[in-house]
């Protein structure tokens, strides 16, 4: 048996020595073109396949005419230009710039006056120099110009007599102030020397409790004890303080406040009123009835205990 095999790169029409056949050789160019796989399967039925190395590469007949292999792109290194490096200014450069700026400004400042004086020219005019060196200068005034009179409007300086009069008026005002102060001090001393509560002896009740005994006892405080918020001769009397103190000397207790004292007795008609009854002005005032149309009470600040006639709207209360 003759063994034929076809090399991998053999062109069509050449016998492959790797292919085994039992029949005589057949011209490959006359046969219909088939793939290598079909050819191998058809020959496996005739001749057992010969083991091939695992590294063998099989190619079909049609792979002989192949497209040219594409070449891989060649990576080219691109040269990049480094950015310019920033140079940090040094102290010397900064100081130099400041000094140059100052020098330029100083020169310009010194040059401006000279430039202005010379009217923009580099040099000075000789005529200007002559004028500056002259002795006196003159000015011409038109004949139609009138001299204005200087005035101070309505203001004038005071005379010596006016100044003296002002000083005298000020001295008189000071003297008047001192006189009024002295008068006030004298009035205070006089009021201090006047009789006040506590400077006299209080007489005790002359007898047992009765309406007339109450009136007689209260009579000694008239014009002597001043009005205050107290309830003793030493501290002064309020209206309810006077009635509380007087009745208390007879062993009868009355509370403070007008309404509270009115509630301690019984209300009587004006025809039945007797000496020693309370005279009540609702909500604000109270006194001791004298039995003859009058009342003893402590009226108000700046006044003393008074014995005066009845007035206004009132009613009577008897303490029992």
């Amino acid at each position: 048996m003759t063994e034929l095999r076809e090399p991998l790169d053999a062109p069509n029409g050449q016998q492959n020595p790797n292919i085994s056949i039992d029949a005589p050789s057949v011209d490959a160019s006359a046969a219909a073109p088939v793939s290598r796989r079909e050819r191998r399967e058809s020959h496996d039925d005739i001749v057992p396949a010969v083991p091939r190395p695992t590294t063998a590469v099989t190619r079909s007949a049609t792979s002989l005419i192949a497209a040219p292999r594409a070449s891989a792109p060649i990576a080219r290194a691109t040269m990049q230009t480094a950015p310019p490096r920033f140079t940090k200014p040094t102290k010397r450069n900064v100081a130099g710039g400041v000094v140059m700026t100052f020098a330029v400004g100083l020169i310009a400042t010194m040059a401006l006056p000279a430039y202005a004086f010379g009217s923009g020219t580099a040099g000075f005019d000789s005529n200007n120099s002559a004028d500056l060196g002259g002795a006196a200068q003159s000015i011409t005034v038109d004949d139609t110009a009138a001299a204005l009179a200087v005035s101070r409007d309505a203001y004038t300086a005071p005379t010596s007599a006016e100044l003296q009069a002002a000083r005298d008026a000020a001295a008189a005002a000071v003297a008047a102030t001192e006189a009024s102060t002295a008068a006030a001090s004298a009035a205070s001393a006089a009021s201090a020397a006047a009789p006040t509560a506590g400077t006299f002896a209080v007489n005790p009740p002359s007898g047992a409790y009765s309406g007339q005994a109450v009136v007689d006892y209260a009579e000694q405080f008239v014009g002597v004890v001043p009005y205050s918020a107290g309830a003793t001769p030493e501290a002064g009397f309020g209206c309810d303080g006077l009635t509380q103190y007087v009745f208390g000397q007879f062993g009868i207790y009355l509370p403070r406040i007008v309404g509270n004292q009115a509630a301690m007795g019984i209300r009587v008609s004006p025809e039945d009123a007797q000496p020693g009854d309370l005279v009540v002005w609702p909500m604000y005032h109270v006194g001791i009835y004298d039995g003859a149309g009058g009342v003893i009470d402590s009226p108000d600040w700046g006044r003393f205990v008074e014995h005066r006639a009845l007035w206004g709207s009132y009613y009577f209360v008897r303490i029992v």
Side-chain angles (χ1 to χ4, degrees), residues 184-195:
S185 300
S188 299
S191 62

Side-chain angles (χ1 to χ4, degrees), residues 31-40 42 60-62:
V34 293
S35 64
R36 183 178 180 83
R37 182 176 181 179
E38 293 177 353
R39 187 183 302 172
R40 185 179 57 189
S42 63
S60 61
T62 58

Side-chain angles (χ1 to χ4, degrees), residues 287-315:
I288 300 173
Y289 182 54
D290 63 356
V295 64
I296 300 174
D297 67 336
S298 183
D300 200 356
W301 292 100
R303 299 164 67 177
F304 290 83
V305 176
E306 297 180 4
H307 190 173
R308 53 180 174 161
L310 294 172
W311 78 97
S313 177
Y314 53 87
Y315 62 90

Side-chain angles (χ1 to χ4, degrees), residues 53-311:
T54 57
T55 57
V57 179
T58 59
R59 297 182 180 178
S60 61
T62 58
S63 63
L64 297 177
I65 303 174
R69 186 177 300 176
S71 60
I74 300 174
R76 297 181 181 180
T78 304
M79 297 298 293
Q80 297 182 358
T81 305
R85 184 177 179 182
F86 176 74
T87 303
K88 184 178 181 180
T90 61
K91 293 183 178 179
R92 174 179 295 180
N93 295 339
V94 174
V98 172
V99 171
M100 289 299 297
T101 303
F102 179 77
V104 172
L106 181 61
I107 294 173
T109 304
M110 296 175 64
L112 285 176
Y115 182 83
F117 186 81
S119 301
T121 59
F124 293 102
D125 191 356
S126 58
N127 296 329
N128 294 337
S129 302
D131 292 341
L132 293 176
Q137 296 182 2
S138 61
I139 184 171
T140 303
V141 179
D142 188 39
D143 296 337
T144 59
L148 298 178
V150 179
S151 62
R152 302 188 218 178
D153 297 333
Y155 298 96
T156 57
T159 62
S160 300
E162 293 174 344
L163 294 175
Q164 185 61 38
R167 285 192 290 267
D168 294 341
V174 172
T177 303
E178 293 177 351
S180 63
T181 303
S185 300
S188 299
S191 62
T196 57
T199 61
F200 63 94
V202 178
N203 298 320
S206 59
Y209 169 72
S210 67
Q212 189 60 47
V214 171
V215 174
D216 295 340
Y217 183 75
E219 191 70 35
Q220 65 179 320
F221 303 118
V222 174
V224 178
V225 178
Y227 179 89
S228 73
T232 61
E234 295 78 12
F237 287 132
C239 64
D240 55 344
L242 173 63
T243 54
Q244 182 187 54
Y245 181 80
V246 171
F247 278 88
Q249 301 306 308
F250 293 93
I252 301 173
Y253 170 75
L254 294 179
R256 296 295 296 268
I257 307 302
V258 174
N260 294 338
Q261 292 185 359
M264 295 297 294
I266 59 175
R267 186 167 178 171
V268 297
S269 64
E271 293 79 10
D272 296 333
Q274 298 177 2
D277 291 341
L278 294 180
V279 184
V280 180
W281 284 264
M283 301 303 296
Y284 73 95
H285 195 59
V286 66
I288 300 173
Y289 182 54
D290 63 356
V295 64
I296 300 174
D297 67 336
S298 183
D300 200 356
W301 292 100
R303 299 164 67 177
F304 290 83
V305 176
E306 297 180 4
H307 190 173
R308 53 180 174 161
L310 294 172
W311 78 97

